[in-house]
Amino acid sequence: MSQHINELFDKDGNLIGALLTAEAWTHVRKEVLSALGVKEESTSDIPREPLSDWETLKQYWDFSYPVDTNVHCEHCGNDTLDWAADEPRRFYLTSANLAGLVAFRCANCHSKIQKKHFKDEIKVECTPFQPDKDSSKEARY
């Protein structure tokens, strides 16, 4: 068919769907959604935070130090002692898992702050925002 379209068939050979490349999807997205009557959700600048993942990490916290809520951005100097208590938010939680990896997005400069919780220490990495990314390859939830 095309390098941009892969048709999917069931075991009996019936067409059940199609996969489009990111490039093809960006070209036909509006038309497909309109034809199917799908209304796009308004995308807010405020991301949905995985707070349930954070609560799960806190529930099973077994590190030798107390739960860590301070966040600091090395790139713009944004800083807070308790990211969850800030109103408006200075940092948005983007991920948290039981292994102790917690990531935030700076509300000021959009840098990514990763806090890696180890048995006896926390390692923090701050990565600057890259505005020239290919948006067709960016995950959205």
Side-chain angles (χ1 to χ4, degrees):
M1 175 154 267
S2 166
Q3 69 181 33
H4 296 288
I5 302 169
N6 286 317
E7 292 181 331
L8 305 173
F9 299 90
D10 67 10
K11 63 180 177 134
D12 298 321
N14 300 316
L15 180 65
I16 58 171
L19 288 175
L20 301 176
T21 62
E23 182 182 354
W25 180 243
T26 57
H27 289 300
V28 300
R29 183 176 193 273
K30 287 181 183 177
E31 292 83 4
V32 170
L33 294 177
S34 176
L36 296 175
V38 176
K39 293 185 181 183
E40 292 188 65
E41 293 181 19
S42 62
T43 55
S44 172
D45 210 20
I46 300 173
R48 289 180 279 186
E49 297 177 286
L51 295 176
S52 62
D53 293 345
W54 172 250
E55 292 301 322
T56 301
L57 174 60
K58 287 189 339 185
Q59 181 180 357
Y60 291 97
W61 194 268
D62 64 351
F63 299 107
S64 60
Y65 45 85
V67 174
D68 178 45
T69 59
N70 64 322
V71 183
H72 172 75
C73 179
E74 296 172 1
H75 298 284
C76 71
N78 204 2
D79 192 46
T80 184
L81 293 176
D82 187 357
W83 64 269
D86 290 338
E87 194 56 47
R89 287 263 208 251
R90 293 181 190 178
F91 297 93
Y92 293 101
L93 179 70
T94 57
S95 67
N97 66 40
L98 285 174
L101 178 62
V102 182
F104 299 91
R105 183 178 61 103
C106 177
N108 188 38
C109 69
H110 302 287
S111 291
K112 179 180 183 177
I113 296 94
Q114 285 187 321
K115 298 183 88 174
K116 299 174 181 181
H117 297 85
F118 295 101
K119 180 180 178 183
D120 297 323
E121 67 178 334
I122 301 170
K123 293 202 178 195
V124 180
E125 294 177 3
C126 190
T127 308
F129 177 70
Q130 299 174 0
D132 56 350
K133 291 187 267 185
D134 184 354
S135 63
S136 67
K137 295 182 179 174
E138 184 176 324
R140 299 202 189 273
Y141 301 96

